[in-house]
Amino acid sequence: MQESDYFEMNRAGWDRRAAAHFDSNFYDLPGFLAGETSLREIELAELGDVSGKSLLHLQCHFGMDTLSWARKGAICTGVDLSPVAIQKARELAQELKLNSEFVCTDVYSFQRSGPDPYDIVFTSYGAICWLPDLNRWAEVVASNLAVGGRFYIAEFHPICDLLAGYSYFTQMQPDVDEEGTYTENGEGAIAKLATWAHPMSSVINALLNVGIQIERASEFPFSPYNCFEGMVEREPGRFYLSHKGNDVPIVYSITGRKVA
C-alpha cells in the first residue's frame, strides 16, 4: 500500500471515531459547552499564557483543545484529516462564537491561508503515531512557526507501545489493526487503522534539524486520560501504570523555540 492509501484508511476510521467521540462521556461535550476546558494540567502549566498569540494546532480532532486555547485568548487554527471532525469543530466554534479557523487536510499538505507564520505550534496526545515521517512533520512545524515562536508537544510515551507488544523504533511499514476506539461508546467505531512508532530521539532530532531549539523535555509517570489497560487513578485526573512494581513513563512533553 502507498502512503495515500494508509491516510485514506485512517481518514475513514477517524470519521467513525469523531462521530462516536462527539457524543461520548469521555469527551464530555456538555461540560465543555458550559465553559469547562478540555486542556489538561501538563500543557496548561508548560505552555502558559497564549493570550493574543496566533496558534496552530496540528491534528486537532473536533477542536475542543483548539477552542479551549481560543477561550484563553489565542487566535487559533486547527488542522485535521477527518472531514467529520472538522465539520463538528466548525459547528462548535460557531455555537461558542469563537473566531477560529479549521482546515481539513493531512498534516503534510497543510498550507496556511495567510502570509504570517504562527506564534505557537501545538500538538498533543496520540497525534504523531498517525504520521510515517517525522522529518516531514517537523518541516511543517518549522515552516509555519515564526522565528522566536514556541513549539509544544505533549504526547504519549513510546515505551507504552513497547509494553503493548509493538516496536519502539520506527518501521517503514505501519502496524495495521482493526479496532474500536477508546471512548465508552465506541462499539460502532471499529475500523482498520495504520500507525507508526516514533522514539523520543526521532522527535527531538527531527525538530533540531529544522531549527527548533529544545528548551525543555519532560517525562511524566501519569496520564491525564484513562486510556491504557490496567491504569489506576491514584490522584484525581492522574492515571498511573506499573510494570514489575515500577511506574511507567506515560507522557512526555517537549518545548522548543524556532531560532532559524
Side-chain angles (χ1 to χ4, degrees):
M1 293 178 66
Q2 301 297 314
E3 178 182 282
S4 59
D5 298 320
Y6 290 123
F7 281 8
E8 177 58 24
M9 176 191 296
N10 287 345
R11 181 208 58 75
W14 277 99
D15 280 350
R16 291 185 181 182
R17 285 185 165 197
H21 292 178
F22 200 73
D23 296 322
S24 70
N25 295 329
F26 184 96
Y27 279 92
D28 186 22
L29 185 60
F32 177 73
L33 292 173
E36 295 178 9
T37 184
S38 64
L39 300 169
R40 306 298 175 163
E41 61 172 299
I42 293 172
E43 58 267 31
L44 284 171
E46 294 194 323
L47 190 51
D49 183 19
V50 299
S51 181
K53 303 294 186 182
S54 58
L55 183 149
L56 174 63
H57 182 184
L58 298 176
Q59 297 168 271
C60 69
H61 200 22
F62 60 87
M64 288 176 64
D65 283 3
T66 318
L67 295 171
S68 290
W69 288 122
R71 280 173 165 168
K72 290 185 170 296
I75 305 157
C76 294
T77 298
V79 178
D80 199 86
L81 178 70
S82 165
V84 173
I86 288 296
Q87 180 58 37
K88 291 185 178 298
R90 290 168 177 164
E91 291 170 0
L92 283 176
Q94 184 174 14
E95 182 173 353
L96 294 170
K97 296 180 173 57
L98 292 170
N99 185 19
S100 297
E101 179 186 9
F102 288 97
V103 180
C104 185
T105 182
D106 67 84
V107 168
Y108 299 148
S109 301
F110 172 70
Q111 294 183 342
R112 62 180 181 269
S113 59
D116 296 328
Y118 296 89
D119 300 313
I120 300 168
V121 176
F122 169 82
T123 190
S124 68
Y125 302 111
I128 60 173
C129 65
W130 307 103
L131 302 173
D133 185 345
L134 288 192
N135 292 315
R136 289 162 62 195
W137 165 78
E139 288 170 0
V140 173
V141 170
S143 65
N144 284 286
L145 187 60
V147 174
R150 287 182 292 165
F151 168 77
Y152 182 81
I153 181 173
E155 182 59 279
F156 293 120
H157 203 291
I159 196 68
C160 298
D161 293 327
L162 185 64
L163 294 178
Y166 296 95
S167 174
Y168 180 84
F169 296 100
T170 307
Q171 298 178 336
M172 291 294 295
Q173 294 300 313
D175 292 303
V176 178
D177 293 305
E178 188 168 9
E179 58 187 34
T181 187
Y182 46 85
T183 58
E184 80 290 342
N185 64 338
E187 296 85 357
I190 296 173
K192 282 188 176 181
L193 295 164
T195 59
W196 291 263
H198 299 296
M200 282 185 65
S201 57
S202 293
V203 181
I204 291 170
N205 288 330
L207 293 167
L208 290 173
N209 288 340
V210 294
I212 306 294
Q213 179 178 297
I214 306 300
E215 296 183 334
R216 179 177 59 233
S218 304
E219 296 174 282
F220 301 88
F222 64 87
S223 165
Y225 302 99
N226 184 13
C227 55
F228 298 110
E229 185 177 354
M231 301 191 89
V232 176
E233 188 177 15
R234 295 186 202 159
E235 303 141 19
R238 291 184 171 188
F239 299 89
Y240 293 78
L241 185 66
S242 296
H243 178 67
K244 296 185 178 181
N246 295 301
D247 286 339
V248 174
I250 301 295
V251 170
Y252 72 89
S253 67
I254 296 171
T255 304
R257 194 172 298 273
K258 183 176 177 178
V259 295

